[in-house]
Amino acid sequence: MAMTVRFTPEQDAKLQQIADEHGISKQQALVLTVDQYDERRTRRRQIDEALELVLSRDAELLKRLEDA
């Protein structure tokens, strides 16, 4: 899908730096950045869900450790 993206000069410079660091085009850098953001967001959600499970499942144990 074609799309036009407008950046400030500072944002364009940051994108160019990412592209240069990876030896890829700015378009590829945008795709890479979106994919990495999505992976981090997904991983953060998984970690939050695991933490919530542990905190609810082991609440009594954690309370006893805290009181010790």
Side-chain angles (χ1 to χ4, degrees):
M1 169 171 67
M3 125 188 270
T4 300
V5 180
R6 290 182 176 84
F7 291 113
T8 64
E10 294 81 15
Q11 291 168 325
D12 187 61
K14 289 176 187 178
L15 180 59
Q16 186 64 59
Q17 183 178 5
I18 292 168
D20 291 345
E21 287 174 2
H22 292 278
I24 58 179
S25 69
K26 289 197 293 186
Q27 189 272 337
Q28 290 170 314
L30 281 172
V31 171
L32 175 67
T33 302
V34 168
D35 289 344
Q36 287 177 342
Y37 172 82
D38 185 58
E39 288 173 15
R40 283 192 308 272
R41 187 174 54 103
T42 299
R43 183 70 180 137
R44 179 77 251 165
R45 187 173 49 245
Q46 291 169 338
I47 290 169
D48 289 345
E49 289 170 0
L51 178 60
E52 183 60 36
L53 173 67
V54 169
L55 290 175
S56 63
R57 183 190 64 198
D58 297 331
E60 184 179 328
L61 173 62
L62 292 169
K63 176 66 176 149
R64 284 189 287 157
L65 288 171
E66 192 176 88
D67 293 340

